[in-house]
Amino acid sequence: MNELLGLWWEWFPDLLQGFFLSLQVTGVCLLLGIPLGLVFALGVSAPNKAVRLIFLFVVELGRGAPALILLQYFYYGLPSAGITFSSFTAAALALAYCTGAYTSEIIRGGLEAVASGQREAADVIGLNKLDALRFIIVPQALRIAIPSLLGFSIIMFQASSLCFTIALPELVSRASAIGSNTFQYMPVLALAGIMYAVVCIPATIIVTSLEKKLGASSQT
Amino acid sequence: MSSVSPVSTAAPSVIKVQKTEQAFLSLKGLHKSFGPYEVLHDVSLEMHKGEVLAIIGPSGSGKSTLLRCINQLSPPTAGSVSMDGVTIEAGCSSSRNDLVKLRRRIGMVFQSFNLFPHLTVLQNVSLAQVRTMGRSKRDADKKSLELLDRVGLANKAELYPARCSGGQQQRIAIARALALEPELMLFDEPTSALDPELGLEVLAVMKELANEGMSMIMVTHEMHFAETVSDRVVVMAEGRILEQGISREVMRNPQHERVVQFLRAVRDR
């Protein structure tokens, strides 16, 4: 046991750097991806059929392609077209697209869940479409969507582990590198797993309690 | 005769508002269909500035639809709505500006209040003043507090609507509509979602507005209120105006058989 703790102590600083990089790439992908999801959601609900179809295509492509393919495409594929990204940028962009595509459905559900009377009230007090969205519909839709968005954010944090395939030195890359150098795969992957769990388990508990709280307040 | 009805009307010469000049609001040949179902059949109606009109009738008779056609929340399928020089013809796409002009002059209060739950009471009343009237936030808040005071709710300004009773929420909705200084107020069954006691507070505010000379059209099931507060009662059934005239005359001495039947049913309840 002491031997295991000693190894973990030795590897921890290196894994911690990878852990922070995982958090960073997740943070950037969510900061870009969720607003992108809102844009996609509004595009998919647009009154113009051509606009709606274009956005639908973009969203379905993002949802249909596995995150791993998107990562590989952005990092290894795009350079063939003369577009080259660092592994961090490629990871952030690919995962942001994936986040945008998936969260657009969550946000669209939230937009549709806002009572129709709210749109009518915005209409009769003279707000234009943009103001009605900005001040009335989107804030309420996001409030409805928050628990699902947070749940999805946890999944994206876990999905950031796929970035080890494009040479991003995040948590799994570092754990894997230590494993290949020491052949101590089991303990190092266990420690990496615990580090993911330290974030994901409390976050899941928070999301669940938030869901209950928002559910209760919407009934008042 | 300035009030037009497809069927019968009470004697027009004694209607107070008809002593005034031109019609303030004029609905001509309104039709409204939802798919194959025609909800309004050729409804025409006129009202004058400062007049209070009550629309009564059985459920499903098209009363609320008529109200929603006036401010184009539910655009009519055919016919026209004119208000003080602005005319909206059904199916005419060129009148987006006119639509905005028309809407800004009409306030509406819904049965289910439709306050914005994520904004405080004060923000509910101030938002449109800032966004559509170009008032500064400070001026808008000042005006909102005056209006909330007028409906007896200045002390609720910082609360969220969910913390207020139904009657209070409806009074806030009235303050929100008044904030835009409308020339016409539409009330769509404003007390139907309230218990009778809470409904009274709302009716008191409406009565005060009527006494101040606000032009008002209300769809209501409050027969006593319709009789005592409104200048004119319009009775609708099956998407048509069956009868209209001075409130007391229509309520006490209806001419149309269906109206007699409806009013009897209401009184016997």
Side-chain angles (χ1 to χ4, degrees):
Chain A
M1 186 65 186
N2 279 346
E3 192 192 344
L4 177 69
L5 290 177
L7 285 172
W8 280 6
W9 182 252
E10 186 189 323
W11 299 330
F12 189 68
D14 194 22
L15 291 182
L16 196 62
Q17 280 188 19
F19 174 76
F20 284 132
L21 193 61
S22 295
L23 282 177
Q24 270 177 37
V25 79
T26 308
V28 173
C29 102
L30 293 174
L31 280 176
L32 294 175
I34 292 176
L36 193 64
L38 176 61
V39 173
F40 286 169
L42 294 173
V44 167
S45 321
N48 184 304
K49 196 176 174 186
V51 174
R52 215 163 51 229
L53 284 176
I54 291 168
F55 275 97
L56 202 62
F57 175 74
V58 173
V59 166
E60 288 309 316
L61 198 68
R63 277 154 49 93
L68 190 58
I69 298 285
L70 293 175
L71 283 165
Q72 304 267 321
Y73 186 82
F74 273 74
Y75 190 64
Y76 296 115
L78 287 181
S80 313
I83 305 168
T84 308
F85 294 122
S86 69
S87 58
F88 185 88
T89 309
L93 292 179
L95 293 182
Y97 177 34
C98 181
T99 302
Y102 276 98
T103 57
S104 72
E105 284 301 289
I106 297 172
I107 295 170
R108 196 167 64 88
L111 289 170
E112 283 174 7
V114 176
S116 63
Q118 293 289 302
R119 289 171 206 272
E120 292 187 343
D123 252 1
V124 298
I125 62 169
L127 295 185
N128 61 35
K129 295 252 181 260
L130 201 64
D131 277 355
L133 276 174
R134 181 175 158 201
F135 294 105
I136 309 300
I137 309 300
V138 170
Q140 292 187 65
L142 288 181
R143 188 183 153 92
I144 295 165
I146 277 174
S148 305
L149 288 176
L150 288 178
F152 184 78
S153 303
I154 296 169
I155 294 172
M156 285 317 285
F157 175 58
Q158 292 167 334
S160 70
S161 61
L162 295 170
C163 298
F164 97 100
T165 62
I166 59 166
L168 184 73
E170 45 66 68
L171 183 54
V172 170
S173 288
R174 289 179 189 254
S176 181
I178 291 169
S180 66
N181 287 337
T182 62
F183 295 102
Q184 299 270 16
Y185 279 104
M186 199 164 129
V188 75
L189 289 176
L191 179 56
I194 290 168
M195 290 170 84
Y196 276 111
V198 162
V199 172
C200 294
I201 293 172
T204 307
I205 293 167
I206 291 168
V207 170
T208 309
S209 74
L210 198 67
E211 262 173 359
K212 282 185 189 157
K213 204 174 153 192
L214 288 177
S217 72
S218 68
Q219 285 165 18
T220 56
Chain B
M1 166 73 201
S2 59
S3 302
V4 180
S5 162
V7 185
S8 68
T9 59
S13 56
V14 282
I15 296 177
K16 171 188 90 179
V17 290
Q18 288 174 0
K19 289 172 187 165
T20 61
E21 54 310 328
Q22 211 186 341
F24 169 62
L25 177 77
S26 168
L27 315 178
K28 282 185 189 148
L30 286 190
H31 287 259
K32 176 67 188 177
S33 301
F34 293 103
Y37 302 105
E38 192 165 51
V39 183
L40 291 180
H41 312 274
D42 193 24
V43 173
S44 296
L45 184 69
E46 287 189 349
M47 81 178 279
H48 293 259
K49 202 153 180 111
E51 190 176 7
V52 178
L53 210 71
I55 305 178
I56 62 171
S59 295
S61 57
K63 309 181 296 292
S64 294
T65 306
L66 177 62
L67 215 58
R68 295 160 68 86
C69 280
I70 295 174
N71 66 355
Q72 307 285 313
L73 207 50
S74 190
T77 321
S80 69
V81 176
S82 305
M83 188 173 140
D84 218 10
V86 177
T87 300
I88 307 276
E89 293 280 350
C92 177
S93 58
S94 61
S95 50
R96 173 77 200 162
N97 266 351
D98 285 344
L99 179 62
V100 172
K101 270 191 221 160
L102 185 81
R103 282 241 176 95
R104 285 197 180 157
R105 296 163 64 187
I106 303 177
M108 185 168 190
V109 173
F110 300 89
Q111 181 181 352
S112 51
F113 329 135
N114 293 349
L115 292 178
F116 306 127
H118 60 298
L119 302 180
T120 63
V121 167
L122 186 66
Q123 288 167 335
N124 261 278
V125 185
S126 290
L127 177 66
Q129 296 177 61
V130 175
R131 301 305 303 176
T132 68
M133 297 175 87
R135 277 194 188 137
S136 69
K137 191 180 173 301
R138 195 183 162 145
D139 289 348
D141 284 351
K142 189 166 166 260
K143 170 88 179 168
S144 302
L145 282 171
E146 282 170 22
L147 287 165
L148 287 170
D149 190 39
R150 191 167 154 195
V151 297
L153 292 169
N155 59 336
K156 305 283 180 190
E158 298 306 322
L159 297 182
Y160 284 91
R163 296 271 169 200
C164 302
S165 72
Q168 289 169 343
Q169 290 194 43
Q170 195 59 297
R171 285 187 281 154
I172 296 161
I174 294 174
R176 180 176 69 179
L178 291 176
L180 297 169
E181 296 167 2
E183 294 164 47
L184 169 67
M185 284 286 286
L186 307 176
F187 293 88
D188 188 7
E189 300 193 33
T191 57
S192 296
L194 302 172
D195 67 46
E197 204 175 5
L198 293 179
L200 283 179
E201 352 175 310
V202 175
L203 294 176
V205 172
M206 289 170 64
K207 192 171 179 179
E208 202 182 307
L209 270 179
N211 290 339
E212 286 167 11
M214 171 67 79
S215 308
M216 292 165 51
I217 304 181
M218 52 190 174
V219 168
T220 184
H221 290 299
E222 306 274 355
M223 295 301 154
H224 179 69
F225 187 76
E227 183 176 337
T228 54
V229 176
S230 64
D231 299 306
R232 191 151 50 105
V233 163
V234 174
V235 191
M236 289 184 71
E238 289 156 11
R240 291 187 168 85
I241 293 179
L242 296 185
E243 186 163 340
Q244 60 174 307
I246 291 179
S247 311
R248 183 174 280 260
E249 285 182 13
V250 174
M251 304 290 270
R252 300 279 168 96
N253 187 25
Q255 303 298 309
H256 195 284
E257 183 52 35
R258 180 72 182 89
V259 180
V260 173
Q261 188 191 348
F262 169 69
L263 289 173
R264 190 185 299 134
V266 172
R267 287 200 181 103
D268 290 349
R269 199 171 51 172

